């Protein structure tokens, strides 16, 4: 049962939740949710996508209220290797 099939609803609400990913060769990796934040929908995410620093998994999805058919917030979940 993967996060992709269930969505992020359960995951980003709980720090310490376990998340699994599977790469193209079928290798499964476990991650632990370390932080969650919400920010305005059109915030830049340049700090998230960098090869520098410790290994991490960053999940970005929509959240908050819906106005004119669009979510108004972005949810950013950061997980570290388990």
């Amino acid at each position: 049962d993967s996060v992709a099939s269930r969505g992020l609803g359960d995951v980003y609400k709980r720090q310490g939740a376990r998340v699994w990913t599977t790469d193209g060769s079928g290798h499964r990796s476990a991650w632990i949710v370390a932080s969650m934040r919400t920010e305005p929908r059109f915030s830049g995410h340049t700090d998230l996508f960098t090869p520098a620093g410790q290994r991490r998994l960053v999940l970005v999805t929509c959240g908050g209220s819906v106005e004119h058919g669009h979510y108004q917030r972005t949810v950013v979940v950061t997980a570290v290797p388990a």
Side-chain angles (χ1 to χ4, degrees):
D1 189 27
S2 69
V3 171
S5 66
R6 290 182 294 130
L8 287 175
D10 291 342
V11 173
Y12 74 79
K13 293 178 183 175
R14 297 188 326 257
Q15 187 171 3
R18 191 169 291 257
V19 179
W20 291 269
T21 58
T22 305
D23 67 18
S25 65
H27 179 263
R28 188 173 181 193
S29 297
W31 304 84
I32 301 294
V33 173
S35 67
M36 186 278 295
R37 72 179 193 251
T38 62
E39 51 193 48
R41 181 172 161 227
F42 294 110
S43 295
H45 301 294
T46 56
D47 64 317
L48 301 178
F49 306 109
T50 176
Q54 303 240 351
R55 188 170 175 238
R56 64 185 177 166
L57 174 68
V58 179
L59 308 166
V60 180
T61 190
C62 12
S65 62
V66 176
E67 295 179 22
H68 310 290
H70 300 282
Y71 284 97
Q72 298 304 300
R73 307 284 297 169
T74 297
V75 178
V76 179
V77 179
T78 302
V80 296

